[in-house]
Amino acid sequence: MTEETQKQLAKDPDGLQTYEYIANHIDTCDEELRFLIDNMCGVDQTGQFLVSTARYLNAIDPVHYRQSIDRLIAEAIERDREHRYIAALLPDIWGTDYADRVDELNKTDNNFRRIYKRVYPSGF
């Protein structure tokens, strides 16, 4: 990534440009991924592109990108106060059978627990 590209992405108003950069350069952006995630965390105030990026990275390689996915999810939980985006993470990250594994996931995954508690405050 060039310095010019970094400067351009630093002006990203909402995270869309950073998301597009990751999607268009997924095969070559591993070294810049920390910068890209930091940038997105700094500009996405609603959590929309944090969630989209977490879902995208999970679809590409959930093991390789685990650390980035976890950070994106944690940041999205903080920003998506109205729960417009984080609910989509439940089936996309933890599987369509997440409802059958709520107790297990609540005990083993802090991000799952935090999202589930927000989306289903009185249980499923």
Side-chain angles (χ1 to χ4, degrees):
M1 172 185 312
T2 66
E3 279 188 45
E4 184 60 33
T5 301
Q6 284 183 345
K7 288 178 185 177
Q8 194 173 15
L9 290 174
K11 296 176 186 175
D12 186 353
D14 58 8
L16 175 59
Q17 293 173 4
T18 305
Y19 171 81
E20 288 176 339
Y21 184 90
I22 292 169
N24 292 330
H25 298 89
I26 192 65
D27 293 333
T28 60
C29 74
D30 275 1
E31 289 183 23
E32 295 94 11
L33 199 55
R34 176 175 250 159
F35 164 80
L36 294 164
I37 301 297
D38 286 347
N39 192 67
M40 186 170 295
C41 290
V43 300
D44 185 355
Q45 299 305 307
T46 65
Q48 177 181 5
F49 297 108
L50 294 165
V51 166
S52 294
T53 305
R55 293 170 66 199
Y56 176 72
L57 292 176
N58 191 69
I60 298 297
D61 189 336
V63 175
H64 179 73
Y65 295 114
R66 175 58 41 211
Q67 190 173 15
S68 295
I69 294 166
D70 287 345
R71 178 161 181 228
L72 289 162
I73 292 171
E75 295 284 340
I77 292 168
E78 295 301 317
R79 287 170 176 75
D80 187 10
R81 301 268 183 225
E82 296 161 8
H83 315 137
R84 291 185 296 187
Y85 310 110
I86 60 173
L89 291 169
L90 293 169
D92 290 349
I93 301 295
W94 292 280
T96 55
D97 66 339
Y98 76 88
D100 298 331
R101 301 179 300 123
V102 169
D103 291 335
E104 168 200 343
L105 292 167
N106 272 329
K107 291 176 187 173
T108 60
D109 193 308
N110 189 47
N111 281 334
F112 176 85
R113 183 187 55 75
R114 292 176 66 209
I115 292 171
Y116 191 82
K117 187 168 75 172
R118 283 169 175 78
V119 174
Y120 302 107
S122 60
F124 193 66

